[in-house]
């Protein structure tokens, strides 16, 4: 149902089409591109229904475009920023726990690093555990239980480590600290976990060196074995043995395999040849594969630098420029945003795809001066791969 309201001083009935929660990742003035909406409108005519007397309406296609919105994003303060700050903004709790503190050697335990609360939960990296020597560590499993509504993101994110102690003894997992920016107090806060001691009760003890008392005492109690005559001989590493019966090639297993293999290879060659021809005839599929291959070619350098913000965005910007040079035949000096939009429009590329491409270029520019998390870089990389493949198919 519509709600009454005013627009530019005139009364209107409006309907909320969609509400979106935004988390800015760059500072400065950010532009929200206009939103275009196409729908059908009932326009009254001068005719009336002969039975009910109601006015007859005609359905007309209508498209409306919203205005451009500008949002001013303030930078986080540099003063008081902790060294381990990874971009967390909101109100959070932090905890490090294990599912057991007493076990035997070669048994496994789970160590869980968990952050809960409200804020930009998907836009920062969790702190890493400092695993003590003598424990095998496996790649942590990342879990997210986050729900998003009009108040923002709330929930938990966690990394679960699987650890396996190798020897008997006590192992200490040192405290881990997590820092975030609290919007209520507008200050940085740091939470430190407690030290966790793991007691390994059964298993092999840590090996000692030759100077230890235990090894020396053990050597004292051992007696030297002396050899009398030739009762002990060394084992030969190679023996000169001959088979009792010689096997012939004719009618042997290898003989039948050599005979049957060419006969079986003929239908296999025909089958794979037919599959190859079907693949070559699949024009649409070949275009998709070619587009994906081109995207991977230009973005391979950016993928190598995932996690290193400066090198990643420089490589991705160079990949986007090289792609345009290859497809639109323009030089880097001519690559203004307006010229790119005009050329892509002339080549009948969809407007939404063009907007996404320009947004990627702007992301590369802003990322040189503002911090960005690994998850944000991964999202930009996936978006660039999809946009390049889409433009290549439409071209």
């Amino acid at each position: 149902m519509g709600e009454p309201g005013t627009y530019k001083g005139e009364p209107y009935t409006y309907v909320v089409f969609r509400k979106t929660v935004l988390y800015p990742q760059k500072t400065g003035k950010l532009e929200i591109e206009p939103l275009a909406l196409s729908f059908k409108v009932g326009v009254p005519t001068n005719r009336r229904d002969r039975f009910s007397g109601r006015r007859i309406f005609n359905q007309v296609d209508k498209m409306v475009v919203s205005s451009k919105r500008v949002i001013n994003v303030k930078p986080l303060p540099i003063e008081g920023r902790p060294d381990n700050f990874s971009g967390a903004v909101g109100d959070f709790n932090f905890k490090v726990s294990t599912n057991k503190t007493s076990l035997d050697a070669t048994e496994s335990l789970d160590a869980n690093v968990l952050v809960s609360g409200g804020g930009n939960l998907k836009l920062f990296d969790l702190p890493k555990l400092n695993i003590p020597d003598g424990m095998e560590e496996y790649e942590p499993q990342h879990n997210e239980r986050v729900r998003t509504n009009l108040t923002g993101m709330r929930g938990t994110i966690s990394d679960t480590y699987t650890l396996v102690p190798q020897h008997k003894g006590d192992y200490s997992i040192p405290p881990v600290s997590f820092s975030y920016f609290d919007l209520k107090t507008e200050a940085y806060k740091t939470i430190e976990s407690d030290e966790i001691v793991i007691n390994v009760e059964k298993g092999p003890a840590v090996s000692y060196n030759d100077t230890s008392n235990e090894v020396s005492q053990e050597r004292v109690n051992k007696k030297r074995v002396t050899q009398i005559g030739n009762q002990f001989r060394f084992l030969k590493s190679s023996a000169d043995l001959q088979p009792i019966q010689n096997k012939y090639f004719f009618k042997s297993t290898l003989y039948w395999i050599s005979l049957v293999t060419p006969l079986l290879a003929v239908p296999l060659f025909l089958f794979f040849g037919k599959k190859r021809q079907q693949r070559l005839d699949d024009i649409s599929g070949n275009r998709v594969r070619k587009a994906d291959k081109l995207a991977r070619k230009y973005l391979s350098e950016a993928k190598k630098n995932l996690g290193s913000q400066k090198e990643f965005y420089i490589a991705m910007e160079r990949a986007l420029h090289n792609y345009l040079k290859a497809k639109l035949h323009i030089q880097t000096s001519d690559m203004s945003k307006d010229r790119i939009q005009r050329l892509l429009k002339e080549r009948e590329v969809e407007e939404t795809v063009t907007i996404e491409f320009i947004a990627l270029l702007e992301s590369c520019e802003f990322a040189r001066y503002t911090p960005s998390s690994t998850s944000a870089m991964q999202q930009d990389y996936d978006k660039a791969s999809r946009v390049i493949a889409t433009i290549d198919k439409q071209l």
Side-chain angles (χ1 to χ4, degrees), residues 1-14:
M1 296 293 293
E3 300 180 17
T6 58
Y7 178 70
K8 294 184 179 180
E10 298 182 2
Y12 280 89
T13 300
Y14 70 90

Side-chain angles (χ1 to χ4, degrees), residues 215-242:
V215 175
S216 300
Q217 185 64 32
E218 182 181 2
R219 289 184 174 180
V220 169
N221 294 333
K222 288 184 178 181
K223 295 182 179 180
R224 181 181 297 275
V225 178
T226 58
Q227 179 178 351
I228 302 174
N230 295 325
Q231 68 267 37
F232 297 107
R233 293 185 179 180
F234 295 103
L235 295 176
K236 291 185 176 181
S237 58
S238 61
D240 300 327
L241 302 178
Q242 297 293 332

Side-chain angles (χ1 to χ4, degrees), residues 46-298:
N46 295 327
R47 295 179 299 163
R48 292 182 178 273
D49 186 90
R50 67 178 64 183
F51 300 103
S52 63
R54 296 179 180 177
R55 189 181 297 274
I56 298 176
F57 288 78
N58 287 336
Q59 297 295 322
V60 179
D61 292 329
K62 182 72 175 178
M63 175 177 285
V64 294
V65 181
S66 66
S67 60
K68 183 183 294 186
R69 307 289 292 182
V70 178
I71 299 176
N72 186 24
V73 181
K74 299 185 297 182
L76 295 175
I78 299 178
E79 183 179 357
R81 179 182 296 179
D83 294 335
N84 64 340
F85 178 69
S86 62
V89 179
D91 184 15
F92 302 107
N93 295 315
F94 177 66
K95 182 180 179 182
V96 178
S97 61
T98 59
N99 64 337
K100 60 180 76 172
T101 57
S102 179
L103 71 164
D104 296 336
T106 69
E107 290 185 9
S108 65
L109 65 95
D110 291 336
N112 191 38
V113 180
L114 182 140
V115 171
S116 61
N120 58 344
L121 285 165
K122 296 185 178 182
L123 302 178
F124 60 86
D125 297 326
L126 290 172
K128 304 296 183 182
L129 280 182
N130 188 8
I131 307 301
D133 294 337
M135 275 193 172
E136 287 188 1
E137 172 191 359
Y138 294 88
E139 188 70 21
Q141 181 180 1
H142 186 73
N143 297 304
E144 295 182 356
R145 293 184 178 180
V146 181
R147 62 183 183 277
T148 304
N149 50 34
L150 294 181
T151 61
M153 296 183 192
R154 294 200 66 85
T156 62
I157 60 173
S158 63
D159 283 343
T160 303
Y161 295 77
T162 299
L163 307 178
V164 181
Q166 300 300 307
H167 302 284
K168 178 182 178 180
D170 293 334
Y171 296 84
S172 173
I173 299 178
V176 181
S177 60
F178 169 72
S179 300
Y180 68 95
F181 184 77
D182 190 352
L183 292 175
K184 295 179 181 178
T185 61
E186 294 188 354
Y188 292 99
K189 292 185 177 180
T190 299
I191 305 175
E192 188 174 63
S193 66
D194 297 328
E195 180 184 14
I196 300 176
V197 177
I198 308 298
N199 180 25
V200 181
E201 299 175 347
K202 297 180 181 180
V206 179
S207 60
Y208 296 91
N209 54 32
D210 291 343
T211 60
S212 66
N213 294 330
E214 293 189 11
V215 175
S216 300
Q217 185 64 32
E218 182 181 2
R219 289 184 174 180
V220 169
N221 294 333
K222 288 184 178 181
K223 295 182 179 180
R224 181 181 297 275
V225 178
T226 58
Q227 179 178 351
I228 302 174
N230 295 325
Q231 68 267 37
F232 297 107
R233 293 185 179 180
F234 295 103
L235 295 176
K236 291 185 176 181
S237 58
S238 61
D240 300 327
L241 302 178
Q242 297 293 332
I244 298 176
Q245 295 181 350
N246 293 324
K247 294 184 178 180
Y248 298 95
F249 176 74
F250 183 67
K251 292 186 178 182
S252 63
T253 303
L254 182 60
Y255 168 81
W256 292 114
I257 293 176
S258 303
L259 185 63
V260 175
T261 299
L263 300 177
L264 296 177
V266 173
L268 291 177
F269 280 125
L270 295 176
F271 174 79
F272 287 111
K274 185 177 181 180
K275 288 292 183 181
R276 181 176 180 275
Q277 188 61 38
Q278 290 176 352
R279 184 182 179 90
L280 293 175
D281 294 339
D282 184 11
I283 299 176
S284 176
N286 288 334
R287 288 179 178 175
V288 173
R289 286 188 289 270
K290 182 180 179 182
D292 293 339
K293 182 179 180 181
L294 191 63
R296 289 194 300 270
K297 171 186 174 183
Y298 284 107

